[in-house]
């Protein structure tokens, strides 16, 4: 059983909890996920099972979120799960002011992750250091924010703005909530978060753990095929049995001897490698001296 699950994570489950539950349901040890989702958050959590766990690194990085940001409040965790350390009405903030500052958060920006996060510093998770009361400098990172669209605005003493955010991997929406509040002259926390797309998987097609368990008991569960998870990569097809054998042995193959899909006649970089029936893994097209070669990176057979 090798492939992916487009899992819909429900609130109060950690990403690790979901992986452990999938292991129990499917009775398999090889299970991994494609990007941590906070316990309070809901939405898409890509899961890989079996040999597909080797492919998680090749999934597309793009993510999309629907978030509600509450202004006038600051917490230790930058969301409502933490201890409130600032609370002052922010009724003076207007939607016009928000529209004026949001462009500052779009593009490649420097972001400071929340102290309560899974990032490692000196081999320790930040959230563990925070729980131990240690105060350290959180390292900044470059992240890509593609779009931020305002969906709804609710004025009041502690106004809320609902936004749709499309971004690259490694982006913390809690940090956007915190920094937006500061930019507006107040504070901000993340009040709600739904990931509606991640690594090429989208929320409408996702299933819950309960759905997975029901399908497994009925014998109807079929994982998403590896090649569907790698649909964004160009395809190289190995038709000859000897080429498949050489690939499985980790040998480099001359590109001129292979069949390329019509839509990708000149691939470069990473490619998914197929035979007539299934995905054989991921390779990389490299030019070595005067020859273009298919170099195995991850072999599934």
């Amino acid at each position: 059983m090798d492939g992916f699950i487009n899992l819909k994570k429900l609130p109060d489950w950690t990403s690790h909890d979901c992986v452990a539950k999938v292991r129990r349901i499917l009775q398999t040890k090889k299970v991994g996920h494609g990007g941590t989702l906070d316990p309070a958050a809901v939405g898409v959590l890509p899961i890989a099972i079996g040999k597909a766990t080797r492919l998680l690194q090749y999934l597309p990085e793009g993510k999309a979120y629907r978030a509600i940001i509450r202004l006038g409040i600051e917490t230790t965790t930058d969301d409502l799960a933490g201890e409130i350390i600032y609370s002052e009405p922010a009724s003076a903030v207007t939607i016009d002011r928000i529209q004026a500052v949001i462009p500052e958060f779009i593009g490649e920006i420097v972001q400071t992750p929340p102290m309560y996060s899974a990032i490692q510093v000196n081999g320790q998770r930040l959230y563990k250091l925070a729980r131990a009361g240690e105060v350290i400098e959180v390292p900044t990172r470059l992240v890509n924010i593609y779009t931020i669209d305002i969906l709804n605005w609710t004025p009041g003493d502690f106004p809320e703005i609902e936004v749709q955010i499309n971004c690259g991997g490694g982006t913390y929406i809690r940090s956007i909530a915190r920094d937006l509040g500061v930019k507006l002259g107040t504070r901000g926390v993340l009040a709600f978060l739904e990931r509606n797309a991640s690594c090429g998987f989208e929320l409408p097609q996702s299933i819950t753990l309960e759905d997975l368990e029901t399908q497994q008991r009925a014998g109807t569960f079929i994982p998403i095929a590896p090649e569907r998870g790698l649909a964004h990569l160009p395809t190289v097809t190995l038709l000859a049995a000897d080429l498949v054998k050489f690939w499985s042995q980790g040998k480099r193959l001359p590109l001129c001897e292979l069949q390329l899909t019509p839509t990708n006649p000149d691939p470069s970089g990473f490619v998914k490698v197929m035979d007539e029936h299934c995905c054989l893994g991921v390779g990389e097209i490299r030019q070595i001296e005067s020859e273009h070669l298919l170099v195995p990176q991850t072999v599934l057979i």
Side-chain angles (χ1 to χ4, degrees):
M1 186 180 292
D2 307 308
F4 298 101
I5 302 170
N6 180 0
L7 187 68
K8 180 180 180 180
K9 191 188 86 65
L10 299 181
D12 302 323
W13 284 75
T14 67
S15 300
H16 183 268
D17 290 339
C18 292
V19 167
K21 182 67 172 179
V22 171
R23 285 193 182 116
R24 289 194 294 271
I25 293 173
L26 300 182
Q27 295 294 298
T28 182
K29 293 182 179 180
K30 287 188 176 181
V31 179
H33 66 79
T36 301
L37 194 55
D38 290 339
V42 300
V44 175
L45 179 67
I47 297 286
I49 53 178
K51 294 178 182 178
T53 53
R54 307 176 197 171
L55 303 176
L56 284 169
Q57 62 184 309
Y58 303 109
L59 294 178
E61 290 190 355
K63 294 176 171 59
Y65 298 89
R66 182 172 66 89
I68 297 176
I69 298 170
R70 185 175 300 170
L71 301 174
I73 296 175
E74 180 183 2
T75 71
T76 53
T77 59
D78 298 323
D79 63 11
L80 294 181
E83 177 186 352
I84 295 176
I85 54 179
Y86 176 95
S87 179
E88 291 290 340
S91 54
V93 176
T94 66
I95 186 63
D96 290 340
R97 176 60 180 152
I98 292 173
Q99 290 172 332
V101 302
I102 274 186
E104 299 180 33
F105 291 86
I106 298 174
E108 186 178 63
I109 66 171
V110 177
Q111 187 179 78
T112 301
M115 182 62 191
Y116 281 83
S117 62
I119 293 172
Q120 291 194 24
V121 175
N122 298 325
Q124 295 288 324
R125 300 287 186 184
L126 279 178
Y127 67 83
K128 291 184 178 181
L129 296 174
R131 289 170 182 169
E134 296 190 34
V135 178
I136 66 170
E137 184 176 352
V138 179
T140 60
R141 55 167 62 181
L142 283 174
V143 298
N144 284 296
I145 313 294
Y146 306 127
T147 60
I148 300 179
D149 297 314
I150 297 174
L151 303 179
N152 192 37
W153 165 245
T154 305
D157 286 345
F158 298 95
E160 291 185 342
I161 178 171
E162 182 178 356
V163 292
Q164 174 71 26
I165 300 174
N166 296 301
C167 58
T171 303
Y172 276 90
I173 309 303
R174 283 183 287 150
S175 294
I176 294 176
R178 176 198 66 212
D179 296 343
L180 178 63
V182 172
K183 183 67 68 173
L184 292 168
T186 177
R187 301 292 191 274
V189 296
L190 187 63
F192 172 82
L193 184 66
E194 174 189 82
R195 187 156 69 187
N196 42 47
S198 177
C199 301
F201 300 101
E202 298 184 349
L203 188 58
Q205 292 78 44
S206 63
I207 63 171
T208 65
L209 286 168
E210 184 178 359
D211 295 331
L212 176 63
E213 191 163 21
T214 298
Q215 292 178 18
Q216 179 67 0
R217 286 177 177 173
T220 59
F221 170 69
I222 300 175
I224 297 168
E227 57 267 28
R228 286 182 56 194
L230 302 175
H232 61 295
L233 295 180
T235 301
V236 170
T237 304
L238 306 182
L239 295 179
D242 59 337
L243 292 177
V244 174
K245 178 181 179 181
F246 293 153
W247 166 265
S248 68
Q249 295 170 343
K251 295 182 178 179
R252 298 175 177 182
L253 305 177
L255 198 61
C256 61
E257 298 181 10
L258 311 180
Q259 177 176 320
L260 309 182
T261 56
T263 55
N264 297 295
D266 186 25
S268 60
F270 290 122
V271 296
K272 65 176 174 291
V273 181
M274 304 284 298
D275 65 8
E276 292 182 287
H277 307 291
C278 64
C279 181
L280 305 177
V282 172
E284 184 179 9
I285 304 297
R286 295 182 190 168
Q287 182 175 351
I288 301 177
E289 296 181 349
S290 61
E291 190 173 27
H292 285 84
L293 299 174
L294 173 63
V295 180
Q297 296 296 315
T298 298
V299 177
L300 299 184
I301 59 173

